[in-house]
Amino acid sequence: MALKPLQIGRLTAPIPVIQGGMGVGVSLSGLAGAVAAEGGIGIISTAQIGYREPGYDRSPHETNLRQISAEIERARRLAPGGIIGVNIMVATRGYEEYVREAVLAGTDLIISGAGLPVTLPQAVREAEEEIGAQGRTLLAPICSSRKSAEVIFHYWKKKYDRIPDLVVIEGPLAGGHLGFDRKQLEDIGGLHYEAEAARILDFVRGKEKEAGRPVPVVMAGGIYDRQDAGPWLKLGMDGVQMATRFVTTWECDAAQAYKDAYLKAEKEDIVLVKSPVGMPGRAIRNAFLERAQKGRIPHGPCHGCIKTCSPADTPYCITEALVNAVKGDVDNGLIFCGSNAWRAQRMEHVKDIMAEFA
């Protein structure tokens, strides 16, 4: 049975699938453009987005900011008329500057989590005023609890007279940095989270009635195929966000060795880790993690990634570890993944994955 298109404000995605933003460098213009070209929503992660560029080691912040527009432009060329968005972590140093650059570059959508995006509407408004494009950029906070959704809706309405255009509910089976503490991640399974997801959905439905306009809700975390998406769509979600499934595509921006790590991973290789920046995460067990458990791993100069990181005290540099991995040096890198990474058995094309949801 065909699924309903995902309508977000003025934009319509024929296939209700958002490709989740994956940093560092895993979801750039290649992957995002391919997903958007097939009728989904392609998302570029701005996390250390300029890591491949000359001058990055010398001036990472400025290089990252410049590269936002370059990646969005490349994705547009791959998907003329497609929906291209960015994922910007609230925990990013210089968060508002990243938001500004994305708006100026013409992003359709900003998805923001890893903290509460309380300043997002103001940063977007100021950037839009610069170019006379008020109301063009759609905003989507990531929520993992009803409480966080309530805080965002209340604050945005009171401070900016605005509500989200889309809500992404991210459950405990997602990859990378997670919006739960370690105990919650160990105790909560996908089925146990359904009640909380339903509570968030119910809250948003009430708010959209108050506003007199739709606020679509998509589910993220642990969704690998259409069968996984089914229960969430039946619950009333308007679409799903997937990330892990897209890693083992030919179009993914990561090195082949990174993708091979997914293909080789067994279920027991997917582990929870303590990130140096203070958040729990999910990754593939490898030689790097084994070394990290034994003691501090020396690192190079700070690249100014996350606000909560203290370079002098960190057990290893997460930017360095993620860059090594995405470039293919997986034995010296951190390989973030979702809970279903072990299900990857072969390389795929984006168009074949999207066809499952058409």
Side-chain angles (χ1 to χ4, degrees), residues 11 19 27 35 58 60 63 72 77 93 106 111 149 201 207 212 221 240 243 251 263 281 292 313-314 333 351 356:
L11 302 176
Q19 161 254 310
S27 65
V35 172
R58 187 171 58 255
T63 304
I72 291 175
R77 290 199 297 266
R93 293 191 186 188
I111 297 177
L201 180 63
K207 288 299 179 181
V240 295
E251 295 85 358
L263 297 175
D313 304 320
T314 184
K351 66 178 181 181
E356 291 183 16

PDB file of all heavy atoms in Angstrom, residues 11 19 27 35 58 60 63 72 77 93 106 111 149 201 207 212 221 240 243 251 263 281 292 313-314 333 351 356:
ATOM      1  N   LEU A  11       6.272  22.560   1.758  1.00  0.00           N
ATOM      2  CA  LEU A  11       7.029  21.498   1.102  1.00  0.00           C
ATOM      3  C   LEU A  11       6.310  20.154   1.171  1.00  0.00           C
ATOM      4  O   LEU A  11       5.689  19.817   2.181  1.00  0.00           O
ATOM      5  CB  LEU A  11       8.415  21.356   1.750  1.00  0.00           C
ATOM      6  CG  LEU A  11       9.296  22.603   1.751  1.00  0.00           C
ATOM      7  CD1 LEU A  11      10.585  22.328   2.502  1.00  0.00           C
ATOM      8  CD2 LEU A  11       9.590  23.042   0.320  1.00  0.00           C
ATOM      9  N   GLN A  19      16.076  11.298   5.686  1.00  0.00           N
ATOM     10  CA  GLN A  19      17.370  10.664   5.922  1.00  0.00           C
ATOM     11  C   GLN A  19      18.040  11.424   7.060  1.00  0.00           C
ATOM     12  O   GLN A  19      18.254  12.622   6.974  1.00  0.00           O
ATOM     13  CB  GLN A  19      18.209  10.697   4.642  1.00  0.00           C
ATOM     14  CG  GLN A  19      19.706  10.503   4.845  1.00  0.00           C
ATOM     15  CD  GLN A  19      20.429  11.815   4.674  1.00  0.00           C
ATOM     16  OE1 GLN A  19      20.232  12.533   3.693  1.00  0.00           O
ATOM     17  NE2 GLN A  19      21.264  12.168   5.641  1.00  0.00           N
ATOM     18  N   SER A  27      26.872  12.018   6.267  1.00  0.00           N
ATOM     19  CA  SER A  27      25.789  12.489   5.383  1.00  0.00           C
ATOM     20  C   SER A  27      26.081  13.920   4.950  1.00  0.00           C
ATOM     21  O   SER A  27      25.773  14.876   5.648  1.00  0.00           O
ATOM     22  CB  SER A  27      24.419  12.388   6.061  1.00  0.00           C
ATOM     23  OG  SER A  27      24.320  13.245   7.173  1.00  0.00           O
ATOM     24  N   VAL A  35      18.953  11.080  -1.720  1.00  0.00           N
ATOM     25  CA  VAL A  35      17.665  10.842  -1.059  1.00  0.00           C
ATOM     26  C   VAL A  35      16.619  11.836  -1.551  1.00  0.00           C
ATOM     27  O   VAL A  35      15.478  11.464  -1.865  1.00  0.00           O
ATOM     28  CB  VAL A  35      17.811  10.922   0.471  1.00  0.00           C
ATOM     29  CG1 VAL A  35      16.442  10.873   1.152  1.00  0.00           C
ATOM     30  CG2 VAL A  35      18.687   9.776   0.992  1.00  0.00           C
ATOM     31  N   ARG A  58      43.816  24.348  10.391  1.00  0.00           N
ATOM     32  CA  ARG A  58      44.284  25.668  10.805  1.00  0.00           C
ATOM     33  C   ARG A  58      43.134  26.539  11.328  1.00  0.00           C
ATOM     34  O   ARG A  58      43.277  27.240  12.333  1.00  0.00           O
ATOM     35  CB  ARG A  58      44.977  26.354   9.629  1.00  0.00           C
ATOM     36  CG  ARG A  58      45.648  27.668   9.969  1.00  0.00           C
ATOM     37  CD  ARG A  58      46.499  28.185   8.808  1.00  0.00           C
ATOM     38  NE  ARG A  58      45.706  28.375   7.586  1.00  0.00           N
ATOM     39  CZ  ARG A  58      45.739  27.568   6.536  1.00  0.00           C
ATOM     40  NH1 ARG A  58      46.507  26.488   6.554  1.00  0.00           N
ATOM     41  NH2 ARG A  58      45.003  27.814   5.464  1.00  0.00           N
ATOM     42  N   PRO A  60      39.286  25.550  11.709  1.00  0.00           N
ATOM     43  CA  PRO A  60      38.138  24.666  11.510  1.00  0.00           C
ATOM     44  C   PRO A  60      36.786  25.384  11.510  1.00  0.00           C
ATOM     45  O   PRO A  60      35.918  25.065  10.708  1.00  0.00           O
ATOM     46  CB  PRO A  60      38.238  23.679  12.680  1.00  0.00           C
ATOM     47  CG  PRO A  60      39.099  24.354  13.692  1.00  0.00           C
ATOM     48  CD  PRO A  60      40.053  25.198  12.919  1.00  0.00           C
ATOM     49  N   THR A  63      36.247  27.307   8.264  1.00  0.00           N
ATOM     50  CA  THR A  63      36.145  26.352   7.158  1.00  0.00           C
ATOM     51  C   THR A  63      34.794  25.661   7.170  1.00  0.00           C
ATOM     52  O   THR A  63      34.160  25.482   6.120  1.00  0.00           O
ATOM     53  CB  THR A  63      37.278  25.308   7.241  1.00  0.00           C
ATOM     54  OG1 THR A  63      38.544  25.990   7.255  1.00  0.00           O
ATOM     55  CG2 THR A  63      37.235  24.364   6.048  1.00  0.00           C
ATOM     56  N   ILE A  72      25.306  22.367   0.463  1.00  0.00           N
ATOM     57  CA  ILE A  72      23.903  22.557   0.077  1.00  0.00           C
ATOM     58  C   ILE A  72      23.794  22.757  -1.430  1.00  0.00           C
ATOM     59  O   ILE A  72      22.911  22.183  -2.090  1.00  0.00           O
ATOM     60  CB  ILE A  72      23.284  23.739   0.851  1.00  0.00           C
ATOM     61  CG1 ILE A  72      23.135  23.379   2.334  1.00  0.00           C
ATOM     62  CG2 ILE A  72      21.925  24.123   0.252  1.00  0.00           C
ATOM     63  CD1 ILE A  72      22.648  24.520   3.202  1.00  0.00           C
ATOM     64  N   ARG A  77      22.265  20.475  -6.861  1.00  0.00           N
ATOM     65  CA  ARG A  77      22.562  20.042  -8.226  1.00  0.00           C
ATOM     66  C   ARG A  77      22.172  18.583  -8.445  1.00  0.00           C
ATOM     67  O   ARG A  77      21.756  18.207  -9.538  1.00  0.00           O
ATOM     68  CB  ARG A  77      24.055  20.244  -8.534  1.00  0.00           C
ATOM     69  CG  ARG A  77      24.464  21.708  -8.649  1.00  0.00           C
ATOM     70  CD  ARG A  77      25.783  21.871  -9.398  1.00  0.00           C
ATOM     71  NE  ARG A  77      26.891  21.242  -8.688  1.00  0.00           N
ATOM     72  CZ  ARG A  77      27.688  21.870  -7.845  1.00  0.00           C
ATOM     73  NH1 ARG A  77      27.495  23.166  -7.580  1.00  0.00           N
ATOM     74  NH2 ARG A  77      28.693  21.243  -7.264  1.00  0.00           N
ATOM     75  N   ARG A  93      29.651  24.439  19.080  1.00  0.00           N
ATOM     76  CA  ARG A  93      30.186  25.764  19.399  1.00  0.00           C
ATOM     77  C   ARG A  93      29.895  26.699  18.222  1.00  0.00           C
ATOM     78  O   ARG A  93      30.136  26.361  17.081  1.00  0.00           O
ATOM     79  CB  ARG A  93      31.695  25.687  19.635  1.00  0.00           C
ATOM     80  CG  ARG A  93      32.070  24.908  20.872  1.00  0.00           C
ATOM     81  CD  ARG A  93      33.527  25.081  21.222  1.00  0.00           C
ATOM     82  NE  ARG A  93      33.900  24.213  22.327  1.00  0.00           N
ATOM     83  CZ  ARG A  93      35.066  24.252  22.959  1.00  0.00           C
ATOM     84  NH1 ARG A  93      35.984  25.126  22.563  1.00  0.00           N
ATOM     85  NH2 ARG A  93      35.338  23.418  23.937  1.00  0.00           N
ATOM     86  N   GLY A 106      20.162  28.874   1.861  1.00  0.00           N
ATOM     87  CA  GLY A 106      18.887  28.453   1.297  1.00  0.00           C
ATOM     88  C   GLY A 106      18.411  27.083   1.700  1.00  0.00           C
ATOM     89  O   GLY A 106      17.635  26.454   0.977  1.00  0.00           O
ATOM     90  N   ILE A 111      16.878  20.744  11.173  1.00  0.00           N
ATOM     91  CA  ILE A 111      16.564  19.802  12.246  1.00  0.00           C
ATOM     92  C   ILE A 111      17.618  19.999  13.320  1.00  0.00           C
ATOM     93  O   ILE A 111      18.815  20.034  13.027  1.00  0.00           O
ATOM     94  CB  ILE A 111      16.568  18.351  11.738  1.00  0.00           C
ATOM     95  CG1 ILE A 111      15.468  18.157  10.693  1.00  0.00           C
ATOM     96  CG2 ILE A 111      16.376  17.377  12.898  1.00  0.00           C
ATOM     97  CD1 ILE A 111      15.445  16.769  10.075  1.00  0.00           C
ATOM     98  N   ALA A 149       9.331  18.363  24.529  1.00  0.00           N
ATOM     99  CA  ALA A 149       8.422  18.951  23.539  1.00  0.00           C
ATOM    100  C   ALA A 149       7.625  20.102  24.149  1.00  0.00           C
ATOM    101  O   ALA A 149       7.451  21.155  23.526  1.00  0.00           O
ATOM    102  CB  ALA A 149       7.487  17.878  22.994  1.00  0.00           C
ATOM    103  N   LEU A 201       3.345  12.560  20.649  1.00  0.00           N
ATOM    104  CA  LEU A 201       2.449  12.727  19.501  1.00  0.00           C
ATOM    105  C   LEU A 201       1.129  13.360  19.922  1.00  0.00           C
ATOM    106  O   LEU A 201       0.631  14.285  19.261  1.00  0.00           O
ATOM    107  CB  LEU A 201       2.202  11.364  18.843  1.00  0.00           C
ATOM    108  CG  LEU A 201       1.280  11.352  17.620  1.00  0.00           C
ATOM    109  CD1 LEU A 201       1.868  12.173  16.484  1.00  0.00           C
ATOM    110  CD2 LEU A 201       1.035   9.913  17.167  1.00  0.00           C
ATOM    111  N   LYS A 207      -1.409  20.774  20.118  1.00  0.00           N
ATOM    112  CA  LYS A 207      -0.848  22.080  19.767  1.00  0.00           C
ATOM    113  C   LYS A 207      -1.184  22.479  18.331  1.00  0.00           C
ATOM    114  O   LYS A 207      -1.386  23.666  18.042  1.00  0.00           O
ATOM    115  CB  LYS A 207       0.667  22.065  19.971  1.00  0.00           C
ATOM    116  CG  LYS A 207       1.079  22.067  21.430  1.00  0.00           C
ATOM    117  CD  LYS A 207       0.575  23.321  22.124  1.00  0.00           C
ATOM    118  CE  LYS A 207       0.933  23.373  23.574  1.00  0.00           C
ATOM    119  NZ  LYS A 207       0.419  24.604  24.244  1.00  0.00           N
ATOM    120  N   GLY A 212      -4.183  25.814  14.527  1.00  0.00           N
ATOM    121  CA  GLY A 212      -4.994  25.791  13.319  1.00  0.00           C
ATOM    122  C   GLY A 212      -4.224  25.411  12.076  1.00  0.00           C
ATOM    123  O   GLY A 212      -4.610  25.751  10.962  1.00  0.00           O
ATOM    124  N   GLY A 221      14.919   6.452  15.092  1.00  0.00           N
ATOM    125  CA  GLY A 221      15.592   5.582  16.051  1.00  0.00           C
ATOM    126  C   GLY A 221      15.182   4.135  15.907  1.00  0.00           C
ATOM    127  O   GLY A 221      14.070   3.762  16.270  1.00  0.00           O
ATOM    128  N   VAL A 240       8.857   8.780   8.853  1.00  0.00           N
ATOM    129  CA  VAL A 240       9.943   8.247   9.660  1.00  0.00           C
ATOM    130  C   VAL A 240      11.264   8.887   9.242  1.00  0.00           C
ATOM    131  O   VAL A 240      11.401   9.380   8.121  1.00  0.00           O
ATOM    132  CB  VAL A 240      10.057   6.709   9.535  1.00  0.00           C
ATOM    133  CG1 VAL A 240       8.821   6.031  10.111  1.00  0.00           C
ATOM    134  CG2 VAL A 240      10.292   6.282   8.083  1.00  0.00           C
ATOM    135  N   ALA A 243      18.604   6.605   9.382  1.00  0.00           N
ATOM    136  CA  ALA A 243      19.985   7.001   9.135  1.00  0.00           C
ATOM    137  C   ALA A 243      20.865   5.794   8.849  1.00  0.00           C
ATOM    138  O   ALA A 243      21.471   5.689   7.789  1.00  0.00           O
ATOM    139  CB  ALA A 243      20.522   7.795  10.325  1.00  0.00           C
ATOM    140  N   GLU A 251      25.915   5.765  -2.370  1.00  0.00           N
ATOM    141  CA  GLU A 251      25.887   7.228  -2.389  1.00  0.00           C
ATOM    142  C   GLU A 251      26.345   7.865  -1.074  1.00  0.00           C
ATOM    143  O   GLU A 251      26.595   9.073  -1.033  1.00  0.00           O
ATOM    144  CB  GLU A 251      24.465   7.712  -2.707  1.00  0.00           C
ATOM    145  CG  GLU A 251      23.978   7.332  -4.096  1.00  0.00           C
ATOM    146  CD  GLU A 251      23.369   5.929  -4.164  1.00  0.00           C
ATOM    147  OE1 GLU A 251      23.359   5.219  -3.127  1.00  0.00           O
ATOM    148  OE2 GLU A 251      22.905   5.540  -5.248  1.00  0.00           O
ATOM    149  N   LEU A 263      28.946  -3.657   7.509  1.00  0.00           N
ATOM    150  CA  LEU A 263      28.654  -4.944   6.874  1.00  0.00           C
ATOM    151  C   LEU A 263      29.230  -6.115   7.672  1.00  0.00           C
ATOM    152  O   LEU A 263      28.668  -7.218   7.667  1.00  0.00           O
ATOM    153  CB  LEU A 263      29.200  -4.967   5.449  1.00  0.00           C
ATOM    154  CG  LEU A 263      28.592  -3.952   4.479  1.00  0.00           C
ATOM    155  CD1 LEU A 263      29.317  -3.997   3.139  1.00  0.00           C
ATOM    156  CD2 LEU A 263      27.099  -4.204   4.279  1.00  0.00           C
ATOM    157  N   GLY A 281      26.474   7.422  23.717  1.00  0.00           N
ATOM    158  CA  GLY A 281      26.327   7.203  22.286  1.00  0.00           C
ATOM    159  C   GLY A 281      26.310   5.718  21.972  1.00  0.00           C
ATOM    160  O   GLY A 281      26.524   4.870  22.842  1.00  0.00           O
ATOM    161  N   ALA A 292      40.534   2.843  23.967  1.00  0.00           N
ATOM    162  CA  ALA A 292      39.957   3.916  24.777  1.00  0.00           C
ATOM    163  C   ALA A 292      39.578   3.425  26.168  1.00  0.00           C
ATOM    164  O   ALA A 292      39.627   4.191  27.146  1.00  0.00           O
ATOM    165  CB  ALA A 292      38.742   4.508  24.071  1.00  0.00           C
ATOM    166  N   ASP A 313      41.021  17.595  29.361  1.00  0.00           N
ATOM    167  CA  ASP A 313      40.557  16.476  30.187  1.00  0.00           C
ATOM    168  C   ASP A 313      39.971  15.321  29.393  1.00  0.00           C
ATOM    169  O   ASP A 313      39.722  14.252  29.943  1.00  0.00           O
ATOM    170  CB  ASP A 313      39.489  16.971  31.177  1.00  0.00           C
ATOM    171  CG  ASP A 313      40.002  18.108  32.045  1.00  0.00           C
ATOM    172  OD1 ASP A 313      41.173  18.043  32.460  1.00  0.00           O
ATOM    173  OD2 ASP A 313      39.229  19.055  32.298  1.00  0.00           O
ATOM    174  N   THR A 314      39.718  15.518  28.113  1.00  0.00           N
ATOM    175  CA  THR A 314      39.022  14.504  27.330  1.00  0.00           C
ATOM    176  C   THR A 314      39.860  13.229  27.174  1.00  0.00           C
ATOM    177  O   THR A 314      41.080  13.301  26.967  1.00  0.00           O
ATOM    178  CB  THR A 314      38.641  15.062  25.941  1.00  0.00           C
ATOM    179  OG1 THR A 314      37.893  14.084  25.237  1.00  0.00           O
ATOM    180  CG2 THR A 314      39.873  15.405  25.124  1.00  0.00           C
ATOM    181  N   GLY A 333      39.435   5.000  14.700  1.00  0.00           N
ATOM    182  CA  GLY A 333      38.283   5.888  14.665  1.00  0.00           C
ATOM    183  C   GLY A 333      37.079   5.360  15.405  1.00  0.00           C
ATOM    184  O   GLY A 333      36.963   4.161  15.690  1.00  0.00           O
ATOM    185  N   LYS A 351      18.061   4.659  -4.278  1.00  0.00           N
ATOM    186  CA  LYS A 351      16.776   4.531  -4.971  1.00  0.00           C
ATOM    187  C   LYS A 351      16.062   3.230  -4.622  1.00  0.00           C
ATOM    188  O   LYS A 351      14.829   3.179  -4.576  1.00  0.00           O
ATOM    189  CB  LYS A 351      16.972   4.634  -6.487  1.00  0.00           C
ATOM    190  CG  LYS A 351      17.762   3.508  -7.109  1.00  0.00           C
ATOM    191  CD  LYS A 351      17.864   3.690  -8.620  1.00  0.00           C
ATOM    192  CE  LYS A 351      18.649   2.554  -9.276  1.00  0.00           C
ATOM    193  NZ  LYS A 351      18.755   2.746 -10.746  1.00  0.00           N
ATOM    194  N   GLU A 356      11.140   1.007  -1.376  1.00  0.00           N
ATOM    195  CA  GLU A 356      10.393   0.234  -0.368  1.00  0.00           C
ATOM    196  C   GLU A 356       9.249   1.052   0.215  1.00  0.00           C
ATOM    197  O   GLU A 356       8.246   0.499   0.692  1.00  0.00           O
ATOM    198  CB  GLU A 356      11.320  -0.183   0.777  1.00  0.00           C
ATOM    199  CG  GLU A 356      12.371  -1.225   0.447  1.00  0.00           C
ATOM    200  CD  GLU A 356      13.156  -1.599   1.684  1.00  0.00           C
ATOM    201  OE1 GLU A 356      12.711  -1.289   2.812  1.00  0.00           O
ATOM    202  OE2 GLU A 356      14.244  -2.188   1.525  1.00  0.00           O
TER     203      GLU A 356
END
